[in-house]
Amino acid sequence: MNRIRTTVALGLVLSAGLVTGCSGGAEPDAKPGGGETGKVTESASASAAPKTPVFQGKPVPGLAAKPAWSLTRDEAGTCAGKASVKDSSQNDICTVGDALILTGYSAGKAGSRTFTVRLLDAGTGKLRKKLDFALPTKSNGYTSSSAVALAQVAEWRDGSPAVLIRHRVDTPPSGLKKASTQTVLTMYTPSGEKLGSSSFDEDTHMSTPVRNGYLVDAGSAGGSTFIPIGDGETVTSEASHVDLKGTVGSGLGYYSQLDISYQPSADWLTAKDVRTGNKAWNSKDLTPPAAIAKLVTSDKATSARLMPFRGDKALLEWSSYGDSEEVMTLIDLKSGRRLAEGPAIDTNGTVDDDGLAISPDGKTAVVQYGKGAVAWNTETGKELWRQAEDEVTIGPGDLPGNGVLYAYLDGVGAALDADDKKLLASEIAEMPQFTTNGYAAIHTSEGLFVFATQPV
């Protein structure tokens, strides 16, 4: 089984014409490939000083006592969704790389509305980029809902954080031309630089998942198509939608398939390159950890599971066939070569409560793949701590490098000491979201509050 273990400026006004008859084609003037379709206003500067709402929550361990900056609820608006999932109803992701992403709507004349996306510097709150999208107007003079404009947090092809804007453009009939609809997908860096843009006929790609800069169109009968946002060639793959649920690595990544044996009994694993479908390695050809190797007999061999870690590294877990106890290893994804051997874990065979948190330097990981969370050093393999049998389930959330593990205890937010799991705070109403440069955002009913992180 594959398992998965997230000062307003006055400025530049860009108007670009529609690209018609496209099926994933990039516009010629985009940077580096493609351009925006429809009328979009981009601006970047500093706005007047915002009001300062008061944070009503309890102090959160690992965060400064006072916010570095804040916005009222009305000023903050809402946040963004997740590009890699088809359901875009959740708009609760407020951080992207070293920036904050905020969205909202403004009303104009005759029922017109504009969808606005703001990228704010995490340290200062100053506006880096403001994107305004005019929403299509219905025949009754009013505009459509958020179904025609979405802001989502994504990754670019190298795995770096990115913003995806989906925008539907309706062109009314004119002369002999009938009315038409196009969907424009544009990706930006957290600083607001355009990465690429593509236009598509109709609105079918308003909900198609986007992973690492590609639209992922996976058919239920098998086979997948990856359409690049901006420049690049469309890639077809033999990987099914089931295979892609377990995809790991940057770019299109790798997926795994079971290589089942009955003599001896084994669930070996074959890792394949999504782009080519070529075999990268098979666990049958790799040496299992010593604790697992000694259990191998002529009748019973090994089982393996592949889970994501970061970049082109992955977690490969080994077990003796039929046993629930596994040994974690960190591997080079392309070759299967072992980089570190970690502690043993006892799994429960489900994926509903899986969790993984990794420190910014990649040296510490907290995993919850079964009957309890385990923290370990991914360089030495040393176990740091383990959840006890009489403790509530620890679901790892974030490990931002300030000495705190932000986790969920039976679903309730909490902060634990990352070195020994000592409870620092419990019942945290709004869990912080972390940027890549040492800040944390908390979005409450009072507003948005951004704190600097600090060591505990």
Side-chain angles (χ1 to χ4, degrees):
M1 179 189 301
N2 291 329
R3 301 180 62 167
I4 312 173
R5 289 302 187 230
T6 214
T7 62
V8 178
L10 306 174
L12 183 63
V13 177
L14 301 179
S15 295
L18 296 176
V19 174
T20 59
C22 282
S23 180
E27 296 183 46
D29 59 347
K31 180 182 179 183
E36 289 159 280
T37 300
K39 187 174 182 180
V40 181
T41 300
E42 301 188 17
S43 40
S45 188
S47 65
K51 299 176 183 178
T52 54
V54 178
F55 182 64
Q56 302 291 338
K58 298 178 181 178
V60 178
L63 305 188
K66 295 182 179 180
W69 57 275
S70 60
L71 296 174
T72 66
R73 181 178 179 180
D74 289 341
E75 290 170 329
T78 57
C79 294
K82 190 173 182 180
S84 60
V85 297
K86 192 167 185 178
D87 180 9
S88 58
S89 61
Q90 295 292 324
N91 293 300
D92 53 2
I93 304 176
C94 300
T95 61
V96 53
D98 60 355
L100 275 293
I101 179 169
L102 301 175
T103 66
Y105 296 88
S106 59
K109 296 180 179 179
S112 65
R113 297 178 76 204
T114 299
F115 177 64
T116 299
V117 180
R118 291 175 291 158
L119 293 171
L120 308 182
D121 183 272
T124 64
K126 289 184 178 179
L127 186 70
R128 291 179 174 178
K129 182 73 74 173
K130 178 174 175 284
L131 305 169
D132 290 328
F133 298 85
L135 299 182
T137 303
K138 295 180 180 179
S139 58
N140 60 7
Y142 292 93
T143 56
S144 305
S145 67
S146 59
V148 298
L150 299 171
Q152 298 174 321
V153 172
E155 297 81 32
W156 190 235
R157 297 169 198 173
D158 59 359
S160 61
V163 175
L164 170 67
I165 308 295
R166 303 182 196 244
H167 179 218
R168 200 185 85 190
V169 178
D170 291 345
T171 302
S174 176
L176 296 177
K177 293 282 189 179
K178 62 182 180 181
S180 64
T181 295
Q182 286 195 314
T183 299
V184 184
L185 277 71
T186 307
M187 297 192 72
Y188 298 87
T189 68
S191 295
E193 179 183 356
K194 189 187 299 180
L195 293 165
S197 183
S198 296
S199 301
F200 304 89
D201 289 338
E202 303 303 329
D203 57 2
T204 55
H205 290 312
M206 284 300 293
S207 61
T208 305
V210 170
R211 182 180 183 273
N212 288 356
Y214 288 86
L215 280 156
V216 182
D217 191 359
S220 58
S224 303
T225 301
F226 298 85
I227 306 170
I229 307 301
D231 283 346
E233 297 293 330
T234 295
V235 177
T236 57
S237 169
E238 66 177 23
S240 69
H241 71 288
V242 175
D243 294 328
L244 295 179
K245 289 182 179 179
T247 301
V248 298
S250 58
L252 296 186
Y254 294 75
Y255 66 99
S256 58
Q257 292 181 326
L258 285 181
D259 180 6
I260 300 174
S261 171
Y262 298 99
Q263 292 182 351
S265 297
D267 281 342
W268 292 309
L269 179 149
T270 299
K272 293 185 175 183
D273 188 317
V274 170
R275 182 178 291 272
T276 64
N278 293 338
K279 168 187 168 182
W281 46 267
N282 187 298
S283 62
K284 180 182 180 180
D285 304 320
L286 304 178
T287 303
I292 302 301
K294 70 181 182 181
L295 301 177
V296 174
T297 68
S298 58
D299 296 324
K300 186 172 73 168
T302 61
S303 295
R305 297 185 301 160
L306 185 66
M307 278 80 67
F309 186 75
R310 179 181 293 166
D312 289 323
K313 296 178 181 179
L315 294 173
L316 181 63
E317 296 180 7
W318 293 84
S319 64
S320 173
Y321 179 83
D323 293 345
S324 63
E325 185 169 289
E326 300 182 348
V327 174
M328 289 184 289
T329 62
L330 183 67
I331 65 167
D332 173 79
L333 183 55
K334 296 181 180 180
S335 65
R337 179 175 61 89
R338 187 185 309 166
L339 304 174
E341 180 179 326
I345 60 173
D346 195 5
T347 65
N348 59 11
T350 68
V351 298
D352 294 339
D353 58 356
D354 287 350
L356 169 65
I358 309 170
S359 61
D361 60 9
K363 295 180 180 180
T364 304
V366 182
V367 301
Q368 205 295 102
Y369 292 159
K371 297 182 180 179
V374 179
W376 61 295
N377 183 305
T378 60
E379 288 189 325
T380 66
K382 179 183 178 182
E383 180 178 317
L384 303 177
W385 53 260
R386 178 182 297 268
Q387 180 183 321
E389 291 185 3
D390 62 348
E391 293 178 332
V392 298
T393 299
I394 299 173
D398 287 287
L399 196 63
N402 59 349
V404 179
L405 168 66
Y406 299 88
Y408 293 89
L409 306 182
D410 280 349
V412 179
L416 289 73
D417 190 301
D419 293 330
D420 58 12
K421 70 177 169 60
K422 177 183 176 182
L423 184 61
L424 303 176
S426 59
E427 298 184 353
I428 299 177
E430 301 291 341
M431 291 288 275
Q433 299 178 32
F434 295 90
T435 66
T436 57
N437 62 335
Y439 290 89
I442 299 180
H443 202 200
T444 73
S445 58
E446 288 80 31
L448 178 74
F449 303 86
V450 179
F451 298 82
T453 59
Q454 60 185 22
V456 295

